[in-house]
């Protein structure tokens, strides 16, 4: 009866639409940074994970073999520290509920009392100066159980014994993995809450218990976003309980579904933005695209994760070093967690050299935590710019095509003055280049060039807010009904091929706040006045901006020319540490941009809020043009 009621509740939750208009009080200043700050992820985590190299067929030798190379090659001293077991370690859930490790593949787990423990393995990794990561699942059954054909590597036993996921066991499993076994990171997958409807043949045959799906990867409307979020929130609460010193990393793996890109920043330390990467150039681009327009949703403590590195395999193997360098460069620019996915025992010196390029790693590990922002975007070429903690910049020019391509970099892309020297250093070759105004680059097929850049800033005495996305939290981004993002839908799902009628937009996030563009990817413009810098966001939004010590906030504000609803006037407000500092007149579509300034001296947190008196049917894009913090 209880089970039946819980299934009915779940079904009701799935059918309820995910609409969540910002309540008026969500727009009140919080007075504090509200994105996730627990855990140990001030910088994007770096390390190694078994999945891309071995799938579910993992064992102790394979894990320790790669860990040895991480140490002997010097990669550990360059920051690669997490050695993560992905799926394949579990034998079953014991009758007492305690998880049992496969001792045929992890012999060191055998305890004298007949139980199993990963403590010997984590002790060994810790003694080497490394950290240890484990894998679990938010539902009852795992991705491997649902999709892998390597049954010899999967849990065995009764239906209950094969329920190895966290569902119903969150506290006991997290306690076991962290307090008892000593892990430092957990990746939590979600196949068990998307793939086991009553109609699944393996449910009908009695192999698995049904789990009424909370996620429909093809349909946000049929996904119970609040229920999925609640399950992952329960895990972060358990991690906090069992790691009072905060030495944990919570890696959320639901592939961009359930609109996770909008809420993972409040729940965990890194979150997958798409389905799995494959060692295919176009697939790498697809994963890149799922993250590249989400700069404002990543910051120290919570990073966008376009999936693990595939360097060493397929299109990124030792015969494709250009592609391998491009893949690595782009992951570094996006502040992606750098998780090697290769059997390092086989790695050539060239591959180790790519993974170990300290200058490129330094971009990824820059303490400001600013994910690169797209300064030029097209299907063929992209230019990404990342503002570094020391005030200099990194710029990547990416040729997405398989033919040579000319890419012109301008001073405007870098927000530098045209008439002053711009100095570039190529982070792969060391070559130094000086130019003014603009310079052409001849890129080879699939090549990315990455430079450190120095020049005279167009904004001399501060930073545009769009240059510091790592310090911006879109606490309320104004999205009322989550929508799939049409910019990320081109990837063939490798396990599905071209069956069906094509790949449709499926990743939530459309309409989210943007650096230097409108929420829907247009150029920022108010009454015909175009802005190349600024924040684009929907009305009825609240952004938190960490202030590193500037004294003045300024912007030119107005309803963006892309607004559709236009029924309500909008008011722009600026708060410092929770106190109202400045407010605009109500602005309507077509009104020219108005200056809005506030003295933010001493305020640690600036909040910028946009309100309408009545809700909008289609939230209007509004523009914080040239929004900047200055002295
Ligand atoms: C999912 C994840 C992968 C990997 C596998 C394990 O597909 O996205 O990264 O963890 O499960 O089965």
């Amino acid at each position: 009866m209880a089970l039946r009621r819980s299934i009915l509740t779940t079904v009701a939750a799935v059918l309820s639409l995910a609409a969540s208009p910002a309540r008026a009080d969500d727009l009140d200043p919080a007075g504090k940074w509200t994105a996730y700050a627990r855990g140990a992820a001030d910088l994007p985590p770096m390390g190694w994970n078994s999945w891309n190299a071995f799938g579910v067929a993992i064992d102790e030798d394979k894990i320790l073999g790669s860990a040895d190379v991480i140490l002997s090659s010097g990669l550990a001293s360059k920051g690669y520290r997490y050695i993560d077991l992905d799926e394949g370690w579990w034998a079953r859930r014991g009758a007492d509920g305690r998880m049992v490790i496969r001792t045929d593949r992890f012999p060191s787990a055998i305890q004298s009392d007949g139980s199993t423990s990963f403590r010997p393995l984590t002790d060994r990794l810790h003694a080497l100066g490394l950290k240890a990561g484990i894998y679990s699942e938010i539902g009852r059954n795992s991705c491997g159980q649902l999709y892998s054909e390597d049954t010899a590597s999967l849990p065995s036993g009764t239906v209950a014994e094969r329920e190895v996921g966290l569902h119903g066991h969150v506290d006991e499993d997290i306690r076991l993995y962290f307090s008892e076994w000593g892990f430092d990171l957990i990746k939590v997958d979600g196949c068990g809450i998307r793939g086991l409807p009553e109609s699944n043949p393996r449910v009908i045959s009695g192999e698995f218990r049904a789990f009424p799906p909370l996620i429909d990867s093809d349909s946000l409307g049929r996904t119970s976003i609040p229920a999925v979020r609640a399950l992952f929130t329960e895990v972060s609460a358990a991690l906090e309980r069992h790691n009072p010193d905060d030495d944990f990393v919570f890696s959320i793996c639901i592939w961009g579904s359930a609109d996770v890109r909008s809420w993972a920043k409040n729940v965990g330390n890194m979150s997958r933005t798409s389905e799995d990467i494959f060692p295919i150039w176009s697939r790498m681009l697809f994963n890149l695209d799922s993250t590249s327009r989400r700069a404002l949703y990543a910051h120290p403590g919570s990073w966008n994760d376009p999936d693990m590195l595939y360097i060493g395999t397929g299109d990124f193997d030792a015969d494709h070093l250009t592609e391998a360098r491009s893949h690595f460069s782009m992951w570094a620019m996006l502040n992606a967690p750098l998780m090697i996915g290769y059997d390092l025992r086989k790695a050539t010196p060239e591959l180790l050299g790519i993974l170990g390029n300290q200058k490129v790693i330094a971009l990824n590990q820059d303490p400001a935590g600013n994910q690169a922002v797209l300064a030029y975007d097209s299907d063929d070429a992209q230019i990404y710019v990342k503002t570094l903690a020391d005030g200099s910049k990194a710029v990547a020019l990416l040729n997405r095509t398989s033919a040579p391509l000319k890419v012109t970099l301008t001073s405007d892309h870098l927000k530098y003055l045209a008439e002053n020297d711009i100095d570039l250093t190529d982070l792969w070759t060391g070559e130094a280049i000086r130019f003014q105004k603009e310079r052409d680059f001849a890129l080879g097929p699939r090549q990315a060039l990455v430079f450190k850049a120095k020049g005279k800033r167009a904004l001399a005495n501060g930073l545009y807010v769009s240059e510091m996305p790592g310090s911006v939290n879109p606490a309320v981004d104004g999205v009322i009904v989550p929508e799939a993002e049409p910019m990320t839908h081109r990837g063939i799902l490798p396990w599905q091929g071209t069956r069906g009628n094509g790949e449709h937009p499926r990743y939530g996030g459309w309409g989210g706040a943007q650096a230097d563009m409108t929420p829907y990817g247009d150029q920022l413009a108010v009454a015909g006045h175009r802005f190349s810098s600024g924040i684009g966001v929907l009305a009825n939004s609240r952004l938190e901006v960490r202030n590193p010590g500037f004294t003045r906030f300024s912007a030119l504000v107005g309803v963006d020319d892309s607004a559709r609803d236009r029924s309500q006037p909008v008011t722009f407000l600026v708060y410092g540490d929770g106190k109202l500092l400045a407010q605009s007149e109500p602005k309507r579509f077509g009104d020219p941009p108005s200056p809005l300034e506030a003295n933010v001296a001493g305020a640690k947190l600036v909040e910028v809020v946009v309100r309408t008196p009545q809700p909008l049917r289609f939230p209007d894009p509004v523009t914080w043009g040239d929004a900047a913090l200055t002295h």
Side-chain angles (χ1 to χ4, degrees):
M1 189 58 197
L3 175 68
R4 204 181 142 71
R5 198 175 312 121
S6 85
I7 290 175
L8 287 177
T9 322
T10 313
V11 170
V14 170
L15 295 180
S16 76
L17 249 190
S20 57
R23 295 196 324 266
D25 54 355
D26 291 338
L27 298 177
D28 289 343
K32 62 176 195 314
W33 180 258
T34 60
Y36 201 61
R38 302 292 300 269
D42 284 350
L43 298 172
M46 291 174 67
W48 179 92
N49 174 296
S50 54
W51 177 251
N52 288 347
F54 302 115
V56 287
I58 54 172
D59 62 38
E60 212 157 282
D61 286 348
K62 290 174 178 167
I63 308 289
L64 291 171
S66 281
D68 283 347
V69 180
I70 295 249
L71 286 166
S72 62
S73 64
L75 289 177
S77 60
K78 292 174 177 170
Y80 294 93
R81 289 197 305 156
Y82 286 90
I83 303 295
D84 297 345
L85 314 184
D86 207 277
E87 180 152 16
W89 64 265
W90 37 38
R92 65 184 173 280
R93 187 176 290 285
D96 55 355
R98 185 184 165 94
M99 287 296 300
V100 180
I101 300 162
R102 302 182 64 109
T103 50
D104 55 338
R105 300 204 177 158
F106 292 91
S108 77
I110 302 171
Q111 300 295 288
S112 50
D113 65 358
S115 68
T116 61
S117 170
F118 266 133
R119 184 54 94 161
L121 181 67
T122 62
D123 278 351
R124 179 141 174 208
L125 291 171
H126 289 148
L128 297 171
L130 299 169
K131 300 231 170 221
I134 195 167
Y135 172 87
S136 193
E137 154 65 45
I138 199 79
R140 297 189 194 102
N141 296 102
S142 69
C143 295
Q145 288 180 302
L146 267 65
Y147 304 116
S148 172
E149 283 162 15
D150 180 3
T151 45
S153 298
L154 298 173
S156 55
T158 64
V159 171
E161 284 171 328
R162 285 183 286 105
E163 290 183 348
V164 292
L166 293 173
H167 199 75
H169 300 273
V170 171
D171 192 74
E172 71 181 294
D173 285 1
I174 297 295
R175 192 200 62 75
L176 178 68
Y177 302 161
F178 285 82
S179 306
E180 205 171 313
W181 289 353
F183 281 98
D184 311 289
L185 176 150
I186 188 165
K187 170 176 168 183
V188 180
D189 229 317
C191 292
I193 60 170
R194 83 166 174 186
L196 285 172
E198 305 270 3
S199 58
N200 182 315
R202 294 165 77 182
V203 171
I204 294 170
S205 73
E207 192 181 344
F208 298 121
R209 245 200 299 175
F211 194 112
L214 297 174
I215 292 176
D216 182 334
S217 289
D218 293 318
S219 167
L220 276 169
R222 290 184 48 77
T223 293
S224 178
I225 297 169
V228 178
R229 180 178 173 155
L231 291 180
F232 280 90
T233 304
E234 194 189 336
V235 177
S236 53
L239 285 164
E240 290 163 16
R241 259 195 317 280
H242 294 295
N243 292 280
D245 60 354
D246 262 5
D247 186 13
F248 68 88
V249 171
F250 182 19
S251 164
I252 298 173
C253 180
I254 48 169
W255 333 282
S257 72
D259 203 34
V260 67
R261 290 197 273 162
S262 71
W263 54 262
K265 68 181 180 61
N266 297 79
V267 174
N269 301 117
M270 53 193 267
S271 170
R272 283 274 298 278
T273 52
S274 70
E275 298 273 4
D276 294 6
I277 190 169
F278 279 79
I280 300 170
W281 175 255
S282 60
R283 189 72 199 178
M284 184 280 290
L285 291 180
F286 164 83
N287 282 55
L288 170 82
D289 291 344
S290 69
T291 287
S292 61
R293 298 176 186 88
R294 304 289 292 172
L296 294 173
Y297 293 77
H299 9 72
S302 48
W303 307 101
N304 288 321
D305 176 8
D307 204 359
M308 298 167 287
L309 297 166
Y310 237 130
I311 288 161
T313 309
D315 282 355
F316 312 100
D317 70 7
D319 295 327
H320 297 87
L321 296 177
T322 298
E323 285 87 344
R325 277 190 287 267
S326 298
H327 177 13
F328 193 64
S329 302
M330 298 318 303
W331 261 233
M333 289 291 284
L334 290 178
N335 290 353
L338 296 180
M339 293 294 176
I340 298 168
Y342 187 55
D343 181 355
L344 287 175
R345 298 172 300 185
K346 300 188 303 193
T348 62
E350 289 77 20
L351 288 172
L352 291 173
I354 290 174
L355 295 166
N357 181 324
Q358 256 171 316
K359 297 204 165 88
V360 176
I361 293 171
L363 303 184
N364 180 265
Q365 298 287 297
D366 184 77
N370 294 320
Q371 179 178 315
V373 169
L374 271 163
Y376 175 83
D377 192 10
S378 72
D379 282 348
D380 297 332
Q382 289 177 317
I383 300 177
Y384 291 81
V385 177
K386 179 178 186 4
T387 305
L388 302 170
D390 68 2
S392 67
K393 303 225 174 198
V395 55
L397 317 180
L398 173 64
N399 177 4
R400 299 165 61 100
T401 77
S402 298
L405 191 72
K406 183 180 93 176
V407 175
T408 305
L409 175 68
T410 71
S411 53
D412 287 344
H413 292 137
L414 293 159
K415 303 189 196 295
Y416 285 162
L417 293 178
E419 57 277 12
N420 290 75
D421 283 347
I422 296 173
D423 285 303
L424 301 181
T425 312
D426 186 314
L427 298 187
W428 289 106
T429 64
E431 187 192 356
I433 295 168
R434 175 168 291 175
F435 72 101
Q436 294 184 349
K437 195 163 187 267
E438 63 177 50
R439 191 182 195 277
D440 293 342
F441 292 86
L443 268 66
R446 301 176 172 181
Q447 188 178 23
L449 294 176
V450 194
F451 304 102
K452 273 267 275 201
K454 286 199 175 116
K456 195 154 182 348
R457 294 176 51 81
L459 180 70
N461 58 343
L463 287 172
Y464 289 113
V465 176
S466 62
E467 291 179 289
M468 44 190 289
S471 297
V472 180
N473 174 30
V476 182
D477 64 12
V479 173
I480 297 176
V481 179
E483 277 183 84
E485 189 195 292
M487 308 298 277
T488 308
H489 68 288
R490 305 183 205 105
I492 296 175
L493 286 174
W495 53 88
Q496 189 168 299
T498 59
R499 294 177 193 88
N501 62 1
E503 285 304 319
H504 305 285
R506 52 194 338 233
Y507 301 123
W510 194 225
Q514 293 281 10
D516 295 344
M517 59 179 152
T518 75
Y520 299 118
D522 294 322
Q523 181 165 11
L524 298 167
V526 177
H529 182 109
R530 287 164 179 259
F531 295 94
S532 53
S533 295
I535 299 291
V537 65
L538 297 176
N540 294 315
S541 55
R542 177 172 63 82
L543 309 185
E544 299 161 1
V545 185
R546 282 186 158 134
N547 177 16
F550 293 111
T551 54
R552 181 169 165 269
F553 171 87
S554 61
L556 288 158
V557 298
V559 177
D560 194 86
D561 289 354
S562 59
R564 293 186 291 169
D565 188 295
R566 307 179 186 179
S567 63
Q568 297 284 315
V570 302
T571 303
F572 294 75
L573 307 103
V574 181
Y575 297 83
D577 288 342
K579 287 203 295 284
L580 182 65
L581 303 177
Q583 175 172 348
S584 74
E585 293 298 313
K587 309 269 309 168
R588 286 197 171 268
F589 177 83
D591 289 349
S594 343
L596 185 60
E597 287 191 20
N599 177 350
V600 297
K604 291 204 161 42
L605 192 82
V606 175
E607 285 170 87
V608 296
V609 175
V610 184
R611 286 180 184 269
T612 60
Q614 299 297 323
L616 292 158
R617 187 146 176 251
F618 303 108
D620 281 336
V622 298
T623 288
W624 295 88
D626 290 338
L629 284 168
T630 52
H631 291 296

